Amino acid sequence: MFARDLDLVDALRADAVISLEAHMSGVRRLTQYAAQLVWIGGKFPIDIGVEFTWYPSLGFNTQRPVSESNLRFELANVLFNLAALFSQLALSLNRSTSDGLKNASNYFCQAAGVLEYLKADIVPEMRTRPPEDMDTMTLESLEHLMLAQAQECSWSMAVKNGYKDALIAKLSAKVSDFYDQAAESGTRSDTVSTDWIHHMSAKHHHFAAAAQYRAACDCLERRKYGEEVARLRDSIVCVTEGLKESKWISKIVVGDLNGLKLKVTEDLKRAEKDNDMIYLLPVPPKSELRPLDRAAMAAAKKPSEIAEPSLLLGENKQFGPPLFARLVPYSVHIAASIYADRRDRIVNTNVADELEALTDKVRDLLQSLNLPGSLQALEKPLGVPPSVVSHAEEIRQQGGIHRLRRSIRDVDTLKENDIQAFKEGISLLQAEASEDERARMKYGTDRWIRPISQQDAHSLYARVNEIDGYLSSAASSDELVKNKLEDYKGVLKVYEGTGRDLENYVPSSRKQSMSPKVEQEASQLRTILNEINRLESRRRRKVGSLKEKAKADDINSVLLAEATRLEKEFPLHKIEAVQFEDLFEKRLQQRYDDDLIMVADEREDQEHLVTQLRQANDAFSNATRGEVFSKDREQALQRLESGYLKFKEIMSNLESARKFYNDLAKIVNLFRDECQQYRYQRRMEAGQMESDLSNAVSNLNLSQTSSLQDQKERESLRSQYNAKAPTTEPLTAPMPTRVHGPPPPAASVWSPDMGIKFGGPAPVPPPTSVGIHNPMYPSTRNGGWSPSKGVQFG
């Protein structure tokens, strides 16, 4: 029935997986597959039972595949690739033009929007630990990185169009903020590499310096010469901080920083000289400088294909018809189960159990009053009363003690099977924990970094205590039932015997005439006892009829109609079981409110009947006071009545126990299977970790010599860099040069190993003969630089 839909899903996934080229066709493939996944998520449970395998694009385990039987895991990876593709589209544009910068900024904002949606809506719904490159800190770092590059495009456009220094300073400050937030989140992530963090930190200081420089230019224009000097000094401090990252960042960024430092240093010398000799204005300390305002031009923008996927699904629409449209949504199955539970709770707990409790109260009262034994002894002093004979016949037909003991053995067998499955599950957990502990002791906690079993499988270990509580409570109830049988087995054996055995058990008394008063009170008491018997029979019929009505109460067709209505009225909303609450309440009220009212009426009728019973019994006792009756016969008849009631009670208890252990079998078998699956997954994970650790150890000796040499070289360079420069005259920063010719083409194929890459240099115009052209600072010719041209980002 759904073979075509399954084929289409396979085709969509195949197209999405190979969509690595920076082209809008790849965006369409990814968004189409994502839209179908969102739709399918309402039809199937999240743990669909199909393994989805992906490779992380960040971190230290990019060569290790990760597999999850989770629809949200699949959707999360598709959206992660979509964000990466948007960033690649931005990098592929010609950012030397206004249109190119505008479109690049839009793509970066869409990448940030996808990452924000992934972090806020998709990953929290996975119900499992997210992949290492999709934890909160990593996604936040990537989101801010995308926003930083989008804001940087706006800054470049402002510089290119010659906007005022005050506005460019605001744009620069916001770029610096975004890079700072990206670096801060990256340091708290386990997967963002240190190279990226150094780059983002350098860019943060770079644009902080550029912002102060532009603010200083604005101060010069407004004749605030003292503040100009202060901001130029702060700019020097910021650019110096950025240069501390020189050993870990690209030469292009280092060239930008050195060029900016050279220009700021020259302007600072000029500004200090002019202020000292001409203007004589006080230079405020940094603490007194007004913080720069921000102008945010970049914001996370969720693509419409992701924000409203349902609008694009349908006949003759962009993404085609939704798959599995005729499949009943999984939420409908959940809703039907919820309704069945509530219906059964009303029938069994609120009605049947309440009526049974009322009946038990009447029986306890009759037993405490020695009824009907005292009345039977008087009415029929010889032989066995007909009611006792009918009880004996009923017990024999149902199997008597042998039936009870056979049922107890069956219950014990079910219990042992459940306990065995439960113990197998516990043994699997214990074996896995022992294996993990041995590996942890072998490799050490520094290298064996996965969580311990009790933390990783917290839900499984919590269910151990839960199931153990069920078994303990059930064992107490089973023991109570067995004690009941032992207490009344003598009476039940009498019932199982012949009519002669009953006559021998019930002693006869001499027949004597009753006075009119005694006969009148006995008749009144017998009438009330017969009314009680009719009350019990009526209740049994009502409960049986109610259970038949509940069995025929099928809500599936109503739920399907309601689900269809919700899909049409709210196409953007995922159908949840909670949306059927009003339907449940209305249907349950219509069908079962009368039964709940019936229980209240039965309670009221019983209270009235009990009052009459007490009055009639008191009158009967007063009338028979002084009369001589056989107490032995009365007690024997009362024991037989109590034995019959206990037989019915034990039968009901054993039926409940059988149902309980059958239901528990599903729980413990599922628990055992999940424990077995968990142990298998952890073994596979452990094997992969051991393989990685073995490879790392084998490669250690090969790389040890070169690593030590590299460390010495880094320490040597660091000591040279940290040496203080002469204070008389600042060192002249070298001017960066570039190879003539067209810029290198953007990567056309993306793979998970490449990650999300930063923007490369903008196209460089051919140099002129006037002098060296630094594309970061467009007007640096013959040592001169025009503030109106701004600071451009490479």
Side-chain angles (χ1 to χ4, degrees):
M1 181 178 181
F2 298 106
R4 181 176 177 274
D5 299 82
L6 293 171
D7 292 339
L8 288 175
V9 168
D10 287 339
L12 287 174
R13 188 175 196 273
D15 289 342
V17 168
I18 63 174
S19 296
L20 307 178
E21 184 178 356
H23 193 272
M24 285 304 297
S25 61
V27 173
R28 185 186 183 281
R29 295 189 189 101
L30 288 169
T31 52
Q32 182 180 11
Y33 183 45
Q36 293 288 0
L37 286 176
V38 172
W39 169 263
I40 292 173
K43 298 286 187 178
F44 294 93
I46 189 171
D47 49 345
I48 193 173
V50 178
E51 291 286 339
F52 300 105
T53 302
W54 291 87
Y55 284 82
S57 62
L58 300 174
F60 302 99
N61 300 309
T62 56
Q63 301 302 318
R64 180 190 301 172
V66 179
S67 297
E68 291 279 353
S69 174
N70 189 306
L71 275 175
R72 290 296 176 184
F73 172 78
E74 173 80 349
L75 179 59
N77 282 279
V78 171
L79 293 178
F80 191 93
N81 275 9
L82 179 61
L85 185 55
F86 275 126
S87 69
Q88 292 292 318
L89 284 169
L91 296 180
S92 67
L93 296 175
N94 180 7
R95 284 169 287 137
S96 65
T97 64
S98 296
D99 289 342
L101 287 170
K102 182 179 179 180
N103 291 331
S105 177
N106 181 54
Y107 283 139
F108 280 130
C109 288
Q110 291 191 79
V114 173
L115 291 168
E116 182 186 40
Y117 174 64
L118 180 60
K119 176 190 68 177
D121 297 336
I122 303 302
V123 172
E125 294 183 2
M126 287 178 62
R127 303 180 189 173
T128 60
R129 186 173 56 189
E132 60 182 9
D133 57 351
M134 294 188 201
D135 65 288
T136 301
M137 290 296 103
T138 301
L139 293 177
E140 281 188 3
S141 179
L142 296 177
E143 178 188 348
H144 289 131
L145 178 59
M146 296 298 105
L147 292 175
Q149 294 178 105
Q151 180 79 8
E152 192 169 350
C153 290
S154 299
W155 170 85
S156 298
M157 195 183 307
V159 172
K160 182 178 180 63
N161 295 333
Y163 290 174
K164 291 184 177 181
D165 290 318
L167 176 59
I168 296 176
K170 295 176 183 179
L171 294 171
S172 301
K174 192 60 182 178
V175 176
S176 177
D177 290 345
F178 279 135
Y179 274 119
D180 183 42
Q181 292 169 349
E184 176 65 23
S185 299
T187 56
R188 292 188 287 169
S189 167
D190 294 332
T191 54
V192 176
S193 67
T194 55
D195 291 340
W196 284 31
I197 296 173
H198 286 306
H199 176 92
M200 292 183 287
S201 179
K203 299 288 278 187
H204 157 61
H205 293 300
H206 178 198
F207 279 95
Q212 291 292 1
Y213 175 75
R214 287 290 182 168
C217 294
D218 182 62
C219 290
L220 176 61
E221 184 179 349
R222 293 186 291 122
R223 299 181 181 181
K224 294 184 177 181
Y225 305 110
E227 183 178 344
E228 177 197 10
V229 173
R231 293 199 180 277
L232 287 173
R233 288 175 180 174
D234 189 49
S235 180
I236 287 290
V237 172
C238 293
V239 78
T240 303
E241 286 294 321
L243 284 170
K244 291 181 180 180
E245 309 286 351
S246 298
K247 288 189 281 186
W248 298 281
I249 60 180
S250 67
K251 294 180 180 180
I252 297 174
V253 179
V254 174
D256 294 347
L257 289 166
N258 281 323
L260 178 59
K261 184 176 182 180
L262 177 62
K263 179 57 184 173
V264 175
T265 302
E266 292 175 354
D267 280 15
L268 179 60
K269 290 170 63 177
R270 186 265 310 156
E272 288 178 335
K273 181 178 178 181
D274 291 347
N275 191 54
D276 292 342
M277 298 183 65
I278 302 174
Y279 307 115
L280 302 177
L281 294 178
V283 179
K286 181 178 179 180
S287 58
E288 295 182 6
L289 290 176
R290 184 177 64 86
L292 296 178
D293 294 331
R294 268 65 173 166
M297 300 300 293
K301 185 191 304 180
K302 187 162 57 173
S304 59
E305 297 90 343
I306 300 301
E308 302 175 346
S310 299
L311 294 182
L312 304 176
L313 290 173
E315 296 293 341
N316 302 321
K317 291 189 177 181
Q318 182 178 345
F319 291 160
L323 302 179
F324 305 100
R326 290 187 295 172
L327 182 66
V328 177
Y330 181 66
S331 57
V332 173
H333 292 287
I334 297 297
S337 176
I338 294 173
Y339 177 80
D341 289 341
R342 295 184 184 179
R343 177 199 63 203
D344 294 343
R345 190 183 308 121
I346 291 175
V347 172
N348 296 322
T349 304
N350 298 348
V351 177
D353 290 350
E354 283 293 324
L355 293 179
E356 185 66 24
L358 290 175
T359 303
D360 289 340
K361 284 185 178 181
V362 173
R363 289 172 179 173
D364 292 341
L365 177 61
L366 291 175
Q367 190 169 0
S368 66
L369 298 177
N370 284 331
L371 292 174
S374 59
L375 185 60
Q376 289 175 340
L378 177 64
E379 292 177 334
K380 190 172 179 58
L382 301 176
V384 180
S387 61
V388 175
V389 175
S390 64
H391 290 166
E393 184 64 25
E394 182 180 351
I395 290 175
R396 293 192 198 102
Q397 288 178 355
Q398 294 187 7
I401 294 180
H402 298 290
R403 166 75 178 276
L404 296 180
R405 287 177 174 168
R406 184 170 65 251
S407 297
I408 289 176
R409 287 194 298 269
D410 293 341
V411 168
D412 288 341
T413 300
L414 293 174
K415 178 172 68 174
E416 289 301 321
N417 292 338
D418 292 349
I419 292 175
Q420 182 63 30
F422 180 52
K423 288 181 177 179
E424 290 177 6
I426 294 177
S427 299
L428 290 168
L429 286 180
Q430 292 174 344
E432 191 283 323
S434 299
E435 293 171 358
D436 181 68
E437 184 61 27
R438 284 195 297 269
R440 201 176 303 277
M441 293 177 64
K442 178 180 179 182
Y443 294 103
T445 55
D446 291 339
R447 290 184 292 175
W448 199 260
I449 57 175
R450 69 174 182 174
I452 61 175
S453 303
Q454 289 78 2
Q455 294 177 353
D456 191 58
H458 174 73
S459 59
L460 286 177
Y461 280 90
R463 286 165 64 186
V464 170
N465 297 329
E466 182 182 355
I467 296 174
D468 187 62
Y470 292 156
L471 290 172
S472 299
S473 176
S476 300
S477 299
D478 294 345
E479 191 64 27
L480 182 62
V481 171
K482 292 178 182 178
N483 292 335
K484 288 180 186 177
L485 179 58
E486 288 299 318
D487 293 340
Y488 285 89
K489 67 179 181 180
V491 177
L492 295 178
K493 286 183 177 179
V494 173
Y495 270 125
E496 286 184 329
T498 62
R500 177 70 64 182
D501 295 331
L502 276 175
E503 292 175 357
N504 293 335
Y505 183 79
V506 180
S508 297
S509 61
R510 62 185 179 83
K511 185 173 180 61
Q512 59 183 23
S513 60
M514 292 185 290
S515 66
K517 179 67 174 176
V518 171
E519 187 173 356
Q520 178 184 355
E521 298 301 337
S523 176
Q524 181 67 22
L525 183 59
R526 171 54 63 187
T527 300
I528 295 175
L529 290 177
N530 291 337
E531 183 63 28
I532 291 175
N533 289 334
R534 286 193 291 272
L535 180 70
E536 293 183 9
S537 299
R538 184 174 71 246
R539 288 175 178 174
R540 285 194 294 269
R541 290 195 301 270
K542 286 183 177 180
V543 170
S545 175
L546 179 60
K547 289 184 176 180
E548 288 296 324
K549 182 174 75 173
K551 186 177 180 181
D553 185 9
D554 186 2
I555 198 176
N556 287 328
S557 58
V558 180
L559 289 177
L560 286 174
E562 180 67 9
T564 303
R565 183 187 69 81
L566 291 173
E567 288 178 348
K568 291 180 179 179
E569 292 186 8
F570 308 100
L572 301 181
H573 293 79
K574 179 182 177 182
I575 297 179
E576 301 286 353
V578 70
Q579 294 174 273
F580 300 97
E581 285 293 333
D582 293 340
L583 175 64
F584 293 163
E585 184 176 356
K586 183 178 180 181
R587 186 180 178 89
L588 290 173
Q589 286 178 353
Q590 289 177 346
R591 289 177 171 261
Y592 301 103
D593 268 8
D594 292 342
D595 299 294
L596 295 175
I597 294 173
M598 178 267 295
V599 173
D601 294 340
E602 288 287 334
R603 185 180 293 107
E604 184 177 349
D605 292 345
Q606 179 167 309
E607 290 175 358
H608 180 66
L609 197 59
V610 165
T611 301
Q612 291 180 339
L613 175 65
R614 290 183 182 276
Q615 293 174 353
N617 185 68
D618 291 342
F620 175 73
S621 298
N622 292 332
T624 58
R625 186 174 291 116
E627 299 288 341
V628 179
F629 299 109
S630 174
K631 291 294 182 182
D632 292 340
R633 180 177 178 82
E634 178 182 339
Q635 293 173 359
L637 291 174
Q638 192 60 40
R639 285 196 298 270
L640 288 172
E641 181 68 19
S642 299
Y644 169 75
L645 295 177
K646 285 297 177 183
F647 176 80
K648 303 291 287 184
E649 181 180 334
I650 293 172
M651 287 286 291
S652 176
N653 294 153
L654 291 174
E655 180 62 24
S656 299
R658 183 191 63 79
K659 185 177 184 301
F660 168 79
Y661 284 116
N662 280 329
D663 293 340
L664 185 62
K666 302 175 183 177
I667 297 175
V668 295
N669 288 332
L670 178 62
F671 168 75
R672 179 189 58 192
D673 294 342
E674 290 181 356
C675 291
Q676 189 171 7
Q677 183 180 5
Y678 175 71
R679 186 188 184 192
Y680 172 77
Q681 291 176 350
R682 292 275 283 188
R683 275 186 168 182
M684 296 294 293
E685 184 183 61
Q688 184 65 44
M689 290 179 66
E690 289 181 343
S691 176
D692 293 344
L693 290 173
S694 298
N695 293 336
V697 171
S698 63
N699 294 332
L700 181 62
N701 293 331
L702 297 176
S703 60
Q704 186 173 12
T705 304
S706 60
S707 297
L708 291 174
Q709 185 65 27
D710 291 342
Q711 182 179 358
K712 291 179 180 179
E713 292 179 0
R714 288 196 299 269
E715 291 176 353
S716 175
L717 290 173
R718 185 175 303 172
S719 62
Q720 294 175 16
Y721 175 76
N722 291 333
K724 293 186 177 179
T727 58
T728 57
E729 183 178 357
L731 295 176
T732 303
M735 301 301 294
T737 59
R738 297 186 179 178
V739 179
H740 304 329
S748 61
V749 178
W750 180 85
S751 68
D753 298 335
M754 296 169 60
I756 300 176
K757 298 187 175 180
F758 302 101
V764 182
T768 65
S769 59
V770 179
I772 299 176
H773 172 224
N774 182 353
M776 301 301 106
Y777 309 100
S779 298
T780 306
R781 294 189 177 97
N782 298 329
W785 184 78
S786 172
S788 65
K789 295 299 182 179
V791 182
Q792 293 189 352
F793 166 64

